[in-house]
Amino acid sequence: MGMFITHYIKGTQWTHPRTGRKKIVDGDLPSGWERCVSDDGKVLFVDHTNRTTTYTDPRLAFATEYRDMSQPVRQRFDGSSTALAVLYGRDLRDKVALVTGANTGIGYETARSLALHGCSVVLACRDIEKTEEAIRRIKCEKEGVNCRALKLDLSSLHSVQEAVEEFKKSFKSLDILILNAGVLGIPYQLTNDGYETTFQVNHLSQFYLTLLLEHSIQKAANPRIVIVSSESHRFSTIRNLEDIQQSRLSPPANKYWAMGAYNDSKLCNVMFAQELAHRWPTVSVFSCHPGNLVSSSLSRYWWLFKVLFILGRPFTKSLQQAASTSIFCATALELDGVTGGYFNNCYRCSPSSASLNRSLSLRLWDLSQEMIINVTDMAWNQDCVKD
């Protein structure tokens, strides 16, 4: 806990002189720091990296103010905060994280920030060469970071199965799962599994990935799942059980609209998070919005989106800032034991009313399972015919 000194009366107090709030300091010291006690009984903090010593606890830089010992009264981070600022002072060397779409954009900054704080990070991506290059860039920044690439093509449910099998060969448990990958503005096309690509990549395959990783996630001490959605989920036109039928989520070509497909998939992300929080009560599950028109590779599929993203670049978040909310949801100590929330700018807010409709979430869950079973059963039958 932080102490305030009043030099006029030569006294000390635990509460802030203006706000009356206490500043709580907890968690591990930043990497490279050590708490020592001098011969005369004074507490010192030694920064071995920079070879300096101070009487000031370095954790005060990221302390939280409290009115009492249980209820936080102010938001620690906002839209201008970076992922590295959220993680300042954290030691994640005992954690394993898997981040989808981590070789570029927001996913890369998410994986990079975790890795630089000691977390073992699996970058699950379609392009292994680009992923290996991303890992090399991270390793150039800090010696000893633990990253590895995992082949994951979200347009293929079979690839999802293979990725999980490969992951389980190296890791017994998974502390943090961040479903970051996504596509925007792609023309109408079906995957080899027969489903509309935006829906499968943004929701269905990552839904499947999560279910296959259930055992690994449940084995972790305080596991967290973060599903990167978007404020675009508010513009989805899915409002009732009829809308969420398979014909709506995998529409014929003449009824397909790229932005509408994206909006619907982002609503599916939030509904998936809400339902998962109900079904897996021992896991903290969150959905979040990273930022509007963030300059990333998300816009690469359509020239109009590229123009919009370029025009919005001076007014939007950096990639580090866009990764902050995912990182906050994945690591913030104050979210221990919390689940089911939707976050924007590192702050919990209300998602759309449609996303809170339990009947819709249940129907989406059942439909997603049916779509997966249809494909996996077909593959199994084909294997039997070959044998």
Side-chain angles (χ1 to χ4, degrees):
M1 183 178 292
M3 177 183 288
F4 300 93
I5 302 173
T6 309
H7 293 285
Y8 289 117
I9 62 173
K10 297 182 179 179
T12 61
Q13 63 188 57
W14 296 109
T15 57
H16 191 284
R18 180 176 58 82
T19 65
R21 301 170 186 169
K22 297 176 181 179
K23 189 175 285 288
I24 305 300
V25 176
D26 57 10
D28 301 321
L29 286 169
S31 178
W33 284 79
E34 180 184 6
R35 182 182 183 276
C36 303
V37 180
S38 64
D39 294 338
D40 57 0
K42 293 181 178 179
V43 177
L44 303 171
F45 295 92
V46 181
D47 179 0
H48 292 290
T49 302
N50 297 308
R51 298 180 182 178
T52 59
T53 302
T54 177
Y55 289 109
T56 304
D57 190 327
R59 292 172 296 178
L60 281 169
F62 50 93
T64 304
E65 287 185 356
Y66 285 75
R67 287 191 191 279
D68 56 47
M69 293 300 289
S70 62
Q71 297 298 319
V73 299
R74 70 177 176 89
Q75 183 182 353
R76 284 203 295 157
F77 305 105
D78 56 27
S80 64
S81 302
T82 64
L84 290 172
V86 171
L87 284 173
Y88 180 75
R90 295 296 302 278
D91 186 349
L92 303 177
R93 281 177 290 182
D94 61 339
K95 302 289 185 182
V96 175
L98 188 152
V99 184
T100 65
N103 62 1
T104 185
I106 298 170
Y108 171 75
E109 289 300 332
T110 301
R112 168 178 170 259
S113 300
L114 291 169
L116 293 178
H117 285 80
C119 188
S120 297
V121 184
V122 178
L123 289 77
C125 312
R126 182 177 59 179
D127 192 323
I128 287 296
E129 287 187 11
K130 289 183 178 179
T131 307
E132 295 287 3
E133 175 56 33
I135 291 173
R136 281 192 288 272
R137 294 202 306 272
I138 296 171
K139 288 184 174 181
C140 285
E141 288 191 61
K142 187 175 182 180
E143 198 173 324
V145 297
N146 188 2
C147 295
R148 65 176 64 190
L150 178 67
K151 172 74 173 179
L152 174 64
D153 182 353
L154 292 170
S155 66
S156 165
L157 294 177
H158 179 66
S159 175
V160 175
Q161 287 179 317
E162 290 185 327
V164 172
E165 291 169 6
E166 194 65 29
F167 173 85
K168 289 181 176 179
K169 290 178 184 177
S170 302
F171 299 98
K172 294 181 180 179
S173 62
L174 177 61
D175 300 276
I176 300 169
L177 172 62
I178 301 180
L179 303 178
N180 163 86
V183 292
L184 165 67
I186 63 174
Y188 179 82
Q189 58 188 28
L190 299 181
T191 66
N192 289 335
D193 297 323
Y195 299 128
E196 191 277 309
T197 301
T198 298
F199 173 74
Q200 179 164 340
V201 171
N202 290 6
H203 166 69
L204 186 64
S205 287
Q206 299 192 91
F207 171 91
Y208 189 36
L209 175 70
T210 305
L211 298 192
L212 292 178
L213 287 169
E214 178 179 7
H215 183 66
S216 299
I217 293 168
Q218 298 284 7
K219 286 185 70 174
N222 294 292
R224 297 197 187 182
I225 298 173
V226 182
I227 304 172
V228 179
S229 179
S230 168
E231 281 291 278
S232 295
H233 85 274
R234 301 185 190 279
F235 302 104
S236 169
T237 53
I238 294 175
R239 289 295 179 270
N240 53 54
L241 295 177
E242 288 71 30
D243 288 339
I244 208 155
Q245 298 306 315
Q246 182 169 339
S247 59
R248 177 58 184 271
L249 296 173
S250 295
N254 63 341
K255 293 185 178 180
Y256 177 80
W257 177 43
M259 198 65 219
Y262 179 78
N263 295 344
D264 289 349
S265 71
K266 294 293 104 177
L267 176 60
C268 290
N269 291 156
V270 183
M271 289 196 291
F272 172 38
Q274 296 292 323
E275 185 58 27
L276 191 62
H278 283 291
R279 293 177 182 244
W280 295 3
T282 59
V283 181
S284 292
V285 183
F286 307 104
S287 55
C288 67
H289 170 62
N292 296 313
L293 297 176
V294 177
S295 180
S296 69
S297 59
L298 188 65
S299 63
R300 64 188 179 275
Y301 294 104
W302 192 20
W303 68 267
L304 179 58
F305 286 115
K306 288 182 180 179
V307 171
L308 289 174
F309 276 60
I310 290 171
L311 292 175
R313 186 174 298 171
F315 313 102
T316 59
K317 294 180 180 181
S318 68
L319 291 173
Q320 255 292 307
Q321 289 171 328
S324 64
T325 303
S326 299
I327 290 293
F328 180 79
C329 291
T331 64
L333 297 173
E334 58 261 49
L335 296 183
D336 282 347
V338 179
T339 192
Y342 173 74
F343 285 75
N344 186 3
N345 294 329
C346 300
Y347 187 72
R348 186 167 185 169
C349 56
S350 297
S352 69
S353 58
S355 71
L356 300 175
N357 184 326
R358 184 79 193 278
S359 296
L360 279 179
S361 297
L362 286 168
R363 182 66 190 112
L364 174 66
W365 186 285
D366 292 341
L367 176 61
S368 300
Q369 286 190 317
E370 291 168 15
M371 296 173 81
I372 290 166
I373 290 170
N374 287 341
V375 172
T376 53
D377 279 356
M378 188 183 303
W380 184 81
N381 289 333
Q382 288 175 346
D383 288 341
C384 288
V385 171
K386 291 177 182 177
D387 293 339

